[in-house]
Amino acid sequence: MVQDEPNGELVAKRDAAREKKPNFFVRIAVFVRQVFAELRKVVTPTRSELLKFTAVVLGFVVVMMALVYGLDVLFVWVTTAVFGVPGGATP
């Protein structure tokens, strides 16, 4: 085994013999241990951070809704100008 430079993962050498794959239950146990190790790294945001993140997300959603609404109104205006009023009614 050789340690890969960029991300620190272990990789097998090209000419090295393949190691025997562990059985199903051992792989599940390793997976569960790795999940718990990752969960220990999770940091819960403070109340002020949570409120700030929520405000940023809501602000972004409002801006995107306004953008989509504006494009919708523009496209309706363009299609009405190009194709006219449906049914041939004139104002």
Side-chain angles (χ1 to χ4, degrees):
M1 292 285 209
V2 176
Q3 188 164 5
D4 192 14
E5 291 295 325
N7 53 10
E9 293 182 5
L10 293 177
V11 295
K13 289 184 180 178
R14 182 179 300 186
D15 56 348
R18 275 195 179 248
E19 294 180 16
K20 187 176 179 185
K21 192 174 186 180
N23 71 22
F24 180 73
F25 296 107
V26 171
R27 286 186 286 157
I28 289 179
V30 168
F31 173 75
V32 169
R33 267 188 265 131
Q34 290 174 345
V35 167
F36 282 121
E38 288 297 320
L39 285 175
R40 281 189 213 102
K41 297 177 189 177
V42 173
V43 178
T44 305
T46 62
R47 182 172 178 83
S48 64
E49 288 175 335
L50 186 63
L51 291 174
K52 189 186 316 179
F53 297 155
T54 303
V56 167
V57 168
L58 290 176
F60 179 75
V61 168
V62 167
V63 167
M64 292 307 296
M65 285 174 50
L67 178 68
V68 169
Y69 175 75
L71 288 173
D72 183 49
V73 169
L74 175 70
F75 291 146
V76 166
W77 180 79
V78 168
T79 54
T80 303
V82 170
F83 299 112
V85 179
T90 56

